[in-house]
Amino acid sequence: MADLSLRTRLKTAFIGLAVVPLLLMGMILIWLSHDVEMEQALELQDEISRRVAAQIDAYLHLVEHELNLAARINPIMDMAPAAQREVVSRLRSFHNPDHEELYEEAALMDKKGRVVALASRVNVYGNADMGNRSATDEFKTPFTKLETYYSPIRFDAKTGEPFLTIAVPIVAARSGRAIGVLSAVVRLRDIRGFISNLNIGKRGIAYVVDNNGVVVVHRNPSVVLKGTIFKLPSKPGAAIGLDGKKAVLGFTPLAVSGAVYHVVTERPAQEATALPMRIVIVTILVIIVSLAGVVSLAMLVNRKVLRPLELLADTAQSIENGDLERKAGHTGDYELDTLADAFNGMARRLISNITALQYHIRERDAANAALKKKTVALETINVRLEKEFVDKLAAQRALTDSHERLLAVLNSLDAAVYVADMKTHEILFANALVESLFGDVVGRTCWQALQSGQTGPCPFCTNDKLIDAHGQPTGAYKWEFRNTANGLWYAIHDRAIRWIDGRLVKLAISYDITERKNLEAEKLRSDKLAAMGTLAAGIAHEINNPLTNASLAIELLKDKLNCCGEKAGEILQKIMEVELSIDHAAAIAKELLHFSRQKELQLTETDVNKVIGAAIGFMRYKLDGVTLTKELARLPAVNADPGRLQQVFINILSNAADAMPNGGNIKITTTSSESHVTIIITDTGIGVAPGDTMRVFEPFFSTKEIGRGTGLGLSISYGIIIQHNGTIDLSSEQGKGTTITIKLPVRGKA
């Protein structure tokens, strides 16, 4: 391409830019026009197919409608034979104003399939011709299924006229059961006539094929009588037609009862594509005329433009070779002469510029020498700066690594660590444990993020203990505190330190000591119970002796007063009141002895559900008016003393009944895990005040009225469960009820 002249290149470019788009546009127009016309031809045939299918469907619905009207004549099956024949004859002769007679034959069958009335368009039938059709689908389908029956299309052997049998059930109004069948042989001559008269171009035809491809309706009866089979293509479009020639096909399915037919419209391919081919020819002629115009225009451009441009190119070549005195000549064309004058002026300026350029080259060489010296100095400075940058980057990486190691250590601690500004109380840092307990707290004030119920800095804040009078750090401050947000106990080490920006901040390190606190409380409770047990035993022994003597004295007084007659009645009454008080005191002493004794348990393999059942049976008298619900799971055995365990359940049920003087609900639930059996007893009683829930297992503590309890029931129950290596807990909401949860170890898991 580089060896070609400017004229040749411009000619090639001009023709290419003019002809190629024209040819491309022409081919696109031909392709689009052909496709659009083909689609329109196919859509037209599909529309004709749908219209024919709609006409056939409407015709068959008309026939079925007339049959159903005749079948509803009440009571047709109860009419006299003559009246039935009259109805059937009128039905057979029915014709619509738009059609000829619809029916070739009509028949009425009773519930046994016997023909009781028969009328024909061409034949006369007597009683001997009636027959029985009970074995035919014409009778069985409508009679048993209560639905309309359509037979396959059949043809008259002589005329080729198509027929279709339609049968409808006659249903009793009251029972809804079939009592007969009305059938008719329908003439499809109107459908064949409609298809024969259909205008589909000059040589287009329409016909109907069944689901097996057999032609059942055609304008030429011989095609139908020969049993012509036509296999439909997978989709409408160009295909081989019924006569074996290329054609454009359109078809629409037509459902008749359970059978599917297709209405097919067909046009010869040559006729269907005539318009697209004419458009192709016209487009080709337009392209040829356009090409002729393009060639003429190219010749004119060559003479008027390209030749003068070649002369200018020769002048430029001479100047390139050093002949700066060469001048471009005039051609007589104003635009090209202007271009030649501009070209000659450019040559003069080029001579002047070359002279100036030589001067500048000499100056540039001098400047380059000075620049080289400065470049050497800059390279030295650059080496030093690069070394400083590398050193600073290494120091920054070391600092980052150190920071990440410190974070890893702080986040691995089993302690909550945070840093807060001592003036604003804003949290500046928190390790992973703090975030897991309280969420994202950085940026929030400590009294809002870590505590609850605070409207300002906490009254127990330790900031003033971490600095001296001069505002300097004093050292670590250690204290213990129960967090108001999560209820956990913490051992806290607080210290004032300087933050990276120089301000004073508080570093707080907190260790969870909740388990230790619970163990201490449990030990304190056990020590208290042991002390109370010792005291109770002493009190019980001290009280029992005087009470025994008082009881003996009362018995002696009663014996003596029995001899005094009626005058001693009032005295005996008072003595009996004293005796009741002594009995009550003795019961209290007995409870004290039970509380104080730590008898060795008689452990056996025990079914907890059976022990609960025994306790309920024992307490049945006290649970009158209380609704008791049990959800007892199948439990593994536990090592327990059944008698002592029953005493626990009796105490709890008794307390629950006392808490519901007006009746209520008690629910007992048992569940199990791999290691424990859990018993949950819930009542709907008056509940326990929030401040008393921690004291309910203390000896002599009772929420009952004075004289109604000793306050030892739950204490004794607590001791028994602890002896079984179990746990007992109480939760209550005042006014709504109380729940007691007991856990006992499974046998072999203690």
Side-chain angles (χ1 to χ4, degrees), residues 393-520:
L393 184 61
Q396 186 175 356
R397 287 177 179 171
L399 181 61
T400 302
D401 292 342
S402 176
H403 177 70
E404 291 178 351
R405 286 195 296 272
L406 178 60
L407 281 180
V409 170
L410 290 175
N411 287 332
S412 65
L413 291 178
D414 191 16
V417 181
Y418 73 92
V419 176
D421 189 298
M422 295 184 68
K423 289 184 178 180
T424 64
H425 302 279
E426 178 188 357
I427 297 176
L428 305 176
F429 169 80
N431 72 343
L433 182 58
V434 174
E435 292 183 351
S436 68
L437 292 171
F438 303 100
D440 187 6
V441 299
V442 175
R444 301 172 59 192
T445 57
C446 56
W447 52 269
Q448 288 179 319
L450 307 180
Q451 305 295 334
S452 66
Q454 305 299 324
T455 58
C458 305
F460 45 81
C461 184
T462 62
N463 283 358
D464 58 343
K465 298 179 176 62
L466 305 180
I467 56 176
D468 57 21
H470 303 290
Q472 296 302 315
T474 58
Y477 177 75
K478 302 177 182 179
W479 58 300
E480 294 182 357
F481 178 70
R482 187 174 188 179
N483 188 276
T484 58
N486 58 19
L488 300 178
W489 278 93
Y490 291 96
I492 307 171
H493 293 192
D494 290 343
R495 179 187 294 271
I497 62 173
R498 292 286 177 184
W499 196 234
I500 53 177
D501 55 6
R503 57 178 159 170
L504 274 177
V505 296
K506 178 173 70 176
L507 170 63
I509 304 175
S510 305
Y511 300 91
D512 186 351
I513 59 170
T514 305
E515 185 176 356
R516 191 194 79 190
K517 283 288 187 180
N518 290 338
L519 291 175
E520 290 174 354

Side-chain angles (χ1 to χ4, degrees), residues 246-268:
K246 289 184 178 180
V248 177
L249 300 179
F251 51 85
T252 300
L254 173 65
V256 179
S257 187
V260 178
Y261 297 87
H262 285 84
V263 177
V264 185
T265 57
E266 176 182 317
R267 286 180 75 188

